[in-house]
Amino acid sequence: MEDILLHSCCGPCSLYPLEELRREGFSVYGYFANPNIHPYREFQARLQSYRNMADQEDLVVRIEESYGLAEFLEALRGMDAGVYQPLSAERCRLCYRLRMRSAARACREAGLTQFTSSLLVSPYQDHAGIVEAGERAAGEYGLTFLYRDFRPGFRRGQAKAKEMGLYLQGYCGCVFSEYERYGETKKGK
């Protein structure tokens, strides 16, 4: 069995990638690190959901428990003002870079040689941006980023999460995506 680190954005989105990687013969290690999640209660809800998923799926995990909002906002400093606008692709790509770099570091520290991300299950994420960030981080740490298009299993994973009683979030996680969920972009203004 080959070992692989699965960066996880949340418990529900981890289910299908975990199932597929195990089906392919990988021994999977989970890693939760998401400095973008806001507000703090949302971060705690996703963290607890991830723990519940890991317990139910018998997944060995490493969890970055610190609330990383300051890190995320600091990374945005000095970027073009457009990064603060709704639906900013550059902001999302920055977020992917932060998380993939963290995953690569954790992968190296665990003595593993390859990693992937549950972000790749979402039809709402920019796969090219995730792959670019993953491959860049892998190159920095002398690792391999394993790309899989997990999107065909998105609904299946969500259904399983409901059956398991996991918390299902309604937005990507950052303060900007929360605004996009409730703000003017949804109201058609």
Side-chain angles (χ1 to χ4, degrees):
M1 275 188 148
E2 286 186 77
D3 293 339
I4 192 165
L5 182 132
L6 173 62
H7 163 265
S8 296
C9 58
C10 64
C13 287
S14 300
L15 289 168
Y16 183 75
L18 176 60
E19 177 184 309
E20 282 300 295
L21 291 168
R22 285 177 168 169
R23 186 187 59 73
E24 288 182 35
F26 287 99
S27 180
V28 183
Y29 297 89
Y31 178 64
F32 180 90
N34 300 288
N36 62 311
I37 300 173
H38 177 80
Y40 183 71
R41 281 185 288 196
E42 181 71 17
F43 176 79
Q44 288 297 315
R46 293 183 192 204
L47 178 58
Q48 188 57 51
S49 179
Y50 182 72
R51 283 189 173 116
N52 292 343
M53 179 278 304
D55 287 345
Q56 291 181 58
E57 292 294 314
D58 196 27
L59 178 65
V60 174
V61 299
R62 175 177 164 187
I63 296 173
E64 299 295 336
E65 296 192 36
S66 62
Y67 181 52
L69 181 62
E71 175 190 354
F72 176 66
L73 295 176
E74 181 64 28
L76 293 173
R77 186 192 311 229
M79 294 188 75
D80 180 275
V83 76
Y84 299 107
Q85 301 304 313
L87 306 175
S88 167
E90 187 51 38
R91 183 185 65 244
C92 294
R93 287 181 178 237
L94 168 78
C95 187
Y96 299 147
R97 289 191 298 269
L98 287 172
R99 294 192 275 176
M100 293 304 97
R101 190 173 294 126
S102 179
R105 185 173 43 254
C107 185
R108 169 59 79 203
E109 289 171 359
L112 305 176
T113 61
Q114 58 188 333
F115 69 101
T116 190
S117 178
S118 68
L119 291 166
L120 296 168
V121 79
S122 175
Y124 307 107
Q125 299 293 331
D126 171 10
H127 273 230
I130 297 165
V131 171
E132 177 186 334
E135 289 177 349
R136 178 186 291 178
E140 289 175 20
Y141 286 87
L143 304 167
T144 300
F145 178 75
L146 180 75
Y147 173 72
R148 291 290 186 273
D149 185 353
F150 295 122
R151 288 176 289 194
F154 177 73
R155 297 284 175 225
R156 184 165 140 193
Q158 296 294 294
K160 184 174 180 180
K162 286 178 186 174
E163 290 172 11
M164 294 170 68
L166 299 179
Y167 168 70
L168 291 155
Q169 64 272 8
Y171 63 101
C172 179
C174 78
V175 65
F176 303 101
S177 65
E178 182 183 29
Y179 172 73
E180 290 163 2
R181 178 181 179 200
Y182 296 110
E184 293 175 1
T185 58
K186 292 293 182 187
K187 294 176 185 175
K189 293 183 180 178

